[in-house]
């Protein structure tokens, strides 16, 4: 009887231990989820990431919008870099909400522009005076090319015409002469000059 | 000691004013006693500014919080390493740093040229003294680093955590050295214009100064990029911020000068252009300082807004008007000594290269100032950010990369058809094969394909030059291959150093092109949970969140989130990103928590991980995982570029350079004329 009860007790104990270890094993991932000793020291609390946070359309829109906190960064860069800023996450939520309401990307951007003015766009919209921003560098390039071309033409015009091959024309006077030694010296000098 | 520093600044102001006046008087009257007095004023200025700097450093290290600057930028628990960098972390200290470095450079320039360039040196001394005196005046009248508080705080505010980074200890001094170094070539250029000594003598005197300041500026800019990458945590290294642009513009004009000066040295052409480039570079360096300190343009890097910006604007306008008026006055005397003989020549290639440099400088300048212009013209504020600069500058940059390859291939004066065929065959073939290969591999970005193909083109041009030169030495002198390479570079340091710089530029462009394939992913992970991210190369990275640990370290409280990282199933190691809350000496938090990025870099791509924060104070962490292809190439490209610069400026101790020969010839002609 004692043996039987002993066996039963051991079986119960073993079963209890097994159940406890299974329960502990199931709880194992959660042990790491304990609260931090000093949560405030780990920066501003974050909301779990959703699929919309990684949506390529959302990111593309946010890269064209400037965060209005004064940081000079676009909304996507600000909200994924400066985790103390409350403005860029709020703007992100507005972008997502506007897309969810059925607006297209262009309409979302236009809505932001209407709300904050052109300054909210990361580059000037291409209309009116803003075209000057885009065109002037290339206008500068073409003006530069024109000036360089004109200067070069001037240089060529004043350059005395010289035949590339053959002897000197008769009216040009006696052709320059040089000894072999002089020619070799000239060659050496030219090589040094080129180096 | 701080009173001594303050008094030293006041005496420096008086000495500088005296020295500037007598220097220009000496230049005009050619009186040796006045010139000597100006030189001595320079050395005394240097001594006084060193004394003032020592006084500020002593106050910083001794935590003398009665001084406003010390209380604003340091604290008792700030590591000594960063207490040193607090010297130039704030506006007032950085002005003193500018002044003392400029005085050191100026004294060195005067000392190294004693007894030489007798007609130029008094003017050189005058220009440099005026510039130093301007900085001293700004400190004395508007931004004094020795200004005292009316009370004695127990502790200082401490240094901004983002400035507590090794990169920030080196980057600002390097950038300042570059900016300040331009003052010496500028002084020689103005001296040449003032004295009318417009031969190549001034070019000879500034050759190493220009390369040195270009080198410092290059290293400063690249270190700034590195600091932004590892410290700011936005996953990139260049944001086209106005202050970044301000450092790029003088670099562009100096690089243009280093090319065009070769034409003046070899052919006596482009004298006006070169003077204009040096003056422009100096003005752009002052413009950068104006932008950083005036608050006229919004920037993440700006110092606190103050009225010193108006001092700089005034100096900028005066220096610009005076310099260009002088250039206009000497215009007729600056005629070219030779003519361009062919459009297909190295001179023409350098002209186009200069044009592109200047157009890029203009586009950066224009984009930086366009918001101000728009507000003036339309009354509407606009933002000119990376999308604008990338759109405008990528095509121009690729054109420049193309010309980087073309320039060295074309002969001086006039290239023959045979010469062109011989030089261009392999580089063009390499470019076409690379482009076709990348297109066949379905690379999605056309600009990136163009950049990689042009990178191959330039690399082949450089390799071709090295191979041909080495072969020639091997055949002619029977030297072993390694010896032939070393001697080839050693005998033509400027030329082959330049090629090494070109290789560095190629590596930089490869790195820039890689950013076209950057990817960002945000994830939330509980401890033990994993996520997978695919890289542009097709590798699958797996990340397992280990948990968040918190501990105290030096002057901060750290929250560190760790991830186990696997690539294609193979374990790579642990990556740890941190949130740091800095504390003052009484254990109170100072500043907002900052982020320390975890970076794993190799030649192909960087894993760049940021711990954004925890969810509801638990160990569940939010991460941003960024994959940045080819960033490694930017840092190593920067090193190669710096190596090339060092090779170019290393003294040869050999036969006179072409510019020296031209200068000697000019002197000989002058004697014959006399």
């Amino acid at each position: 009887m004692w043996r039987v009860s002993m066996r039963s007790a051991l079986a119960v104990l073993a079963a209890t231990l097994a159940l406890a270890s299974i329960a502990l094993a199931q709880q194992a991932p959660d042990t790491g989820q304990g609260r931090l000793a000093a949560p405030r020291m780990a920066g501003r609390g974050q909301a779990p990431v959703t699929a919309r946070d990684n949506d390529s359309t959302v990111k593309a829109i946010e890269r064209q919008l400037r965060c209005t906190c004064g940081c000079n960064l676009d909304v996507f860069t600000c909200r994924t870099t400066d985790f103390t800023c409350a403005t860029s996450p709020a703007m992100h939520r507005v972008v997502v909400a506007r897309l969810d309401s059925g607006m297209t990307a262009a309409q979302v951007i236009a809505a932001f522009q209407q709300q904050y003015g052109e300054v909210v766009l990361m580059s000037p919209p291409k209309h009116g005076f803003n075209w000057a921003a885009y065109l002037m560098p290339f206008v500068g390039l073409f003006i530069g090319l024109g000036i360089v071309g004109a200067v070069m033409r001037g240089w060529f015009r004043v350059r005395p015409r010289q035949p590339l091959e053959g002897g000197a024309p008769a009216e040009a006077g006696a052709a320059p002469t040089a000894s072999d030694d002089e020619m070799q010296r000239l060659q050496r000098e030219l090589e040094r000059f080129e180096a | 000691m701080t009173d001594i520093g303050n008094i030293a600044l006041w005496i420096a102001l008086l000495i500088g004013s005296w020295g500037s006046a007598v220097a220009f008087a000496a230049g005009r009257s050619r009186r040796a006693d006045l010139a000597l007095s100006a030189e001595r004023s320079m050395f005394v200025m240097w001594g006084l500014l060193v004394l003032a700097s020592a006084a500020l450093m002593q106050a910083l290290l001794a935590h003398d919080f009665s001084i406003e600057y010390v209380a604003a930028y340091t604290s008792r628990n700030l590591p000594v390493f960063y207490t040193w960098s607090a010297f130039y972390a704030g506006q007032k200290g950085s002005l003193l740093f500018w002044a003392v470095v400029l005085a050191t450079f100026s004294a060195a320039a005067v000392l190294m040229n004693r007894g030489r360039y007798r007609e130029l040196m008094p003017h050189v001394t005058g220009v440099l003294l005026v510039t130093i005196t301007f900085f001293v005046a700004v400190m004395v009248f508007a931004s004094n680093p020795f200004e005292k508080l009316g009370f004695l705080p127990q502790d200082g505010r401490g240094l901004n955590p983002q400035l507590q980074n090794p990169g920030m200890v080196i980057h600002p001094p390097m950038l300042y050295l570059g900016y300040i170094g331009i003052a010496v070539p500028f002084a020689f250029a103005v001296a040449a214009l003032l004295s009318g000594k417009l031969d190549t003598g001034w070019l000879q005197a500034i050759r190493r100064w220009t390369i040195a300041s270009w080198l410092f500026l290059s290293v400063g800019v690249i270190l700034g990029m590195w600091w932004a990458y590892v410290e700011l945590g936005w996953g990139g290294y260049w944001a086209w911020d106005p202050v970044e642009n301000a450092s790029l513009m003088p670099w562009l004009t100096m690089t243009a000068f280093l090319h065009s000066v070769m034409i003046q040295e070899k052919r006596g052409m482009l004298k006006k252009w070169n003077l204009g480039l040096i003056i422009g570079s100096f003005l752009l360096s002052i413009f950068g300082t104006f932008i950083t300190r005036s608050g006229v343009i919004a920037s993440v890097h700006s110092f606190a807004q103050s009225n010193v910006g108006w001092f700089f604007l005034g100096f900028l306008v005066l220096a610009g008007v005076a310099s260009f008026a002088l250039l206009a006055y000497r215009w007729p005397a600056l005629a070219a000594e030779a003519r361009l003989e062919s459009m297909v020549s190295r001179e023409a290639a350098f002209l186009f290269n200069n044009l592109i440099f200047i157009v890029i400088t203009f586009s950066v300048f224009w984009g930086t100032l366009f918001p101000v212009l728009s507000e003036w013209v339309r009354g509407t504020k606009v933002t000119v950010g990376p999308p604008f600069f990338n759109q405008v500058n990528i095509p121009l940059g690729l054109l420049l990369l193309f010309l980087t390859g073309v320039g060295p291939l074309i002969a001086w004066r006039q290239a023959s058809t045979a010469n062109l065929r011989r030089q261009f065959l392999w580089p063009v073939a390499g470019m076409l094969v690379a482009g076709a290969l990348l297109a066949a591999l379905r690379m999605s970005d056309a600009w990136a394909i163009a950049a990689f193909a042009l990178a191959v083109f330039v690399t082949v041009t450089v390799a071709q030059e090295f191979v041909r030169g080495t072969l020639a030495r091997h055949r002619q002198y029977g030297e072993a291959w390694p010896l032939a390479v070393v001697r080839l570079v050693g005998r033509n340091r400027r030329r082959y150093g330049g090629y090494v710089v070109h290789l560095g530029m190629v590596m930089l462009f490869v790195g820039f092109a890689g950013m076209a394939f950057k990817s960002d992913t945000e994830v939330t992970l509980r401890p033990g949970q994993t996520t997978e991210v695919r890289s542009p190369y097709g590798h699958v990275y797996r990340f397992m969140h280990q948990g968040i640990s918190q501990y105290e370290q030096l002057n901060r409280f750290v929250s560190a989130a760790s991830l186990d990282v696997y690539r294609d199933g193979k374990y790579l190691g642990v990556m740890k990103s941190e949130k740091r809350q800095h504390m003052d000496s009484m254990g109170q938090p100072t500043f907002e928590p900052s982020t320390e990025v975890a970076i794993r870099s190799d030649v192909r791509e960087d894993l760049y991980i940021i711990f954004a924060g925890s969810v509801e104070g638990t160990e569940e962490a939010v991460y941003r995982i960024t994959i940045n292809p080819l960033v490694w190439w930017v840092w190593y490209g920067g090193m190669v570029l710096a190596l090339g610069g060092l090779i170019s400026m290393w003294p040869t101790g050999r036969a006179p350079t072409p510019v020296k020969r031209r200068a000697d010839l000019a002197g000989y002609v002058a004697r014959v004329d006399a």
Side-chain angles (χ1 to χ4, degrees), chain A residues 133-156:
Chain A
Y134 293 93
L135 295 179
M136 276 304 283
F138 297 98
V139 169
L141 175 65
F142 287 111
I143 290 174
L145 279 172
I147 292 171
V148 169
V151 169
M152 283 180 171
R153 269 179 57 190
W155 280 344
F156 289 136

Side-chain angles (χ1 to χ4, degrees), chain B residues 102 125 144 207 217 222 403 457 461 481 490 565 571 595 665:
Chain B
L102 179 56
T125 312
N144 192 330
R207 198 180 151 248
L217 207 50
I222 288 164
L403 288 171
F457 171 71
T461 64
W481 296 108
V565 183
Y571 181 64
T595 308
L665 188 64

Side-chain angles (χ1 to χ4, degrees), chain B residues 70-91:
Chain B
V70 178
Y73 291 98
T74 63
S75 58
R76 291 188 192 282
N77 63 351
L78 183 69
V80 176
F81 187 51
Y82 297 120
T83 305
W84 152 260
S85 69
F87 187 173
Y88 42 77
Q91 169 135 277

Side-chain angles (χ1 to χ4, degrees), chain A residues 25-83:
Chain A
Q26 283 175 338
Q27 278 181 0
D30 290 337
T31 55
Q33 278 188 65
R35 292 195 67 78
L36 297 175
R40 278 193 318 119
M41 297 292 186
R44 204 164 58 82
Q46 297 288 311
V49 174
T50 64
R52 295 310 300 273
D53 295 334
N54 282 315
D55 187 299
S56 57
T57 311
V58 172
K59 286 183 189 176
I61 292 171
E62 289 179 359
R63 284 203 169 99
Q64 294 179 56
L65 298 174
R66 177 181 169 166
C67 175
T68 55
C69 74
C71 65
N72 247 13
L73 298 170
D74 65 69
V75 171
F76 175 77
T77 307
C78 182
R79 76 175 173 82
T80 57
T81 303
D82 179 4
F83 303 104

